[in-house]
């Protein structure tokens, strides 16, 4: 029997498995969607949703500027940021279309962007879309992404957006 042994092992040691999920979670936060195997996506969902839950449970404290917080709220936010920061790396590098590299504070993105985006949502922050088998080895591939898309800036006045009808 396999009682109290939840989670897939992926034929890796515990430290290697933890490192893999730290990197996958950091990439999901940085890029907002990643393509990986179906099994890894299902396990990553458990990890990523716990990180976002730590931020959303703070409520408005998570994304309020530091200067406007009470000392008790500062302590709560500091504790939560240290918990999230102990799992994912602090900074991530994102390559922009022009070839420039942008340095992103991942922990701050969880608290300012994702906590605001998922405020009031009780859970289910990620979506897994199955893509089919990988060409090389036939592994089942999936796309994991955040459910709520980031707010896009409004189109300038006078421009129309084309809508496709099917």
């Amino acid at each position: 029997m396999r009682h109290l042994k939840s989670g897939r092992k992926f034929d890796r040691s515990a430290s290697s498995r933890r490192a893999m999920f730290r990197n996958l979670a950091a990439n999901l936060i940085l890029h907002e969607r990643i393509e990986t195997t179906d099994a890894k996506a299902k396990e990553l969902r458990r990890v990523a949703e716990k990180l976002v839950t730590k931020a959303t449970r703070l409520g408005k404290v998570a994304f309020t500027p530091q200067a406007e917080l009470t000392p008790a709220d500062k302590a709560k936010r500091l504790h939560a940021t240290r918990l999230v920061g102990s799992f994912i790396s602090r900074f991530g590098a994102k390559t922009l279309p022009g070839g420039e590299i942008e340095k992103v504070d991942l922990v701050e993105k969880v608290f300012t962007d994702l906590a605001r985006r998922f405020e009031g949502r009780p859970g289910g922050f990620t979506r897994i879309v199955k893509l089919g088998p990988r060409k090389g080895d036939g592994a089942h591939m999936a796309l994991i992404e955040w459910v709520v898309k980031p707010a896009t800036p409004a189109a300038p006045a006078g421009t129309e957006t084309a809508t496709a009808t099917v």
Side-chain angles (χ1 to χ4, degrees):
M1 287 186 274
R2 240 184 133 249
H3 295 293
L4 299 175
K5 297 185 183 297
S6 64
R8 294 169 176 86
K9 302 300 180 199
F10 296 109
D11 198 26
R12 298 170 190 246
S13 65
S15 61
S16 175
R17 196 169 46 249
R18 185 171 193 265
M20 176 183 68
F21 286 123
R22 288 175 63 162
N23 289 325
L24 283 171
N27 282 322
L28 179 62
I29 292 167
L30 181 66
H31 299 290
E32 308 241 337
R33 63 174 14 192
I34 57 173
E35 183 179 333
T36 184
T37 63
D38 190 36
K40 285 180 187 173
K42 287 177 181 178
E43 288 298 312
L44 175 61
R45 169 185 278 175
R46 297 173 61 203
V47 172
E49 293 203 3
K50 285 179 185 176
L51 293 174
V52 175
T53 300
K54 285 186 189 340
T56 56
R57 283 196 177 160
L58 290 176
K60 296 200 181 294
V61 173
F63 48 85
T64 303
Q66 194 76 5
E68 299 173 14
L69 294 175
T70 65
D73 287 341
K74 285 182 184 179
K76 286 180 187 176
R77 183 171 173 178
L78 177 65
H79 178 64
T81 56
R82 285 182 176 168
L83 286 175
V84 171
S86 70
F87 190 78
I88 59 172
S89 56
R90 184 72 190 198
F91 294 101
K94 187 176 190 178
T95 306
L96 299 176
E100 297 178 30
I101 295 177
E102 177 187 14
K103 188 175 178 182
V104 179
D105 188 347
L106 299 177
V107 176
E108 196 61 28
K109 183 173 180 180
V110 169
F111 282 88
T112 56
D113 183 32
L114 296 178
R116 180 175 287 143
R117 201 184 309 177
F118 296 119
E119 182 183 15
R121 189 179 179 99
F125 308 122
T126 56
R127 169 188 304 130
I128 296 176
V129 180
K130 297 187 180 189
L131 299 176
R134 184 163 46 199
K135 193 168 189 166
D137 61 355
H140 299 286
M141 297 301 288
L143 184 75
I144 183 168
E145 61 186 359
W146 301 114
V147 173
V148 181
K149 301 287 185 215
T152 56
T159 61
E160 295 181 24
T161 56
T163 56
T165 57
V166 178

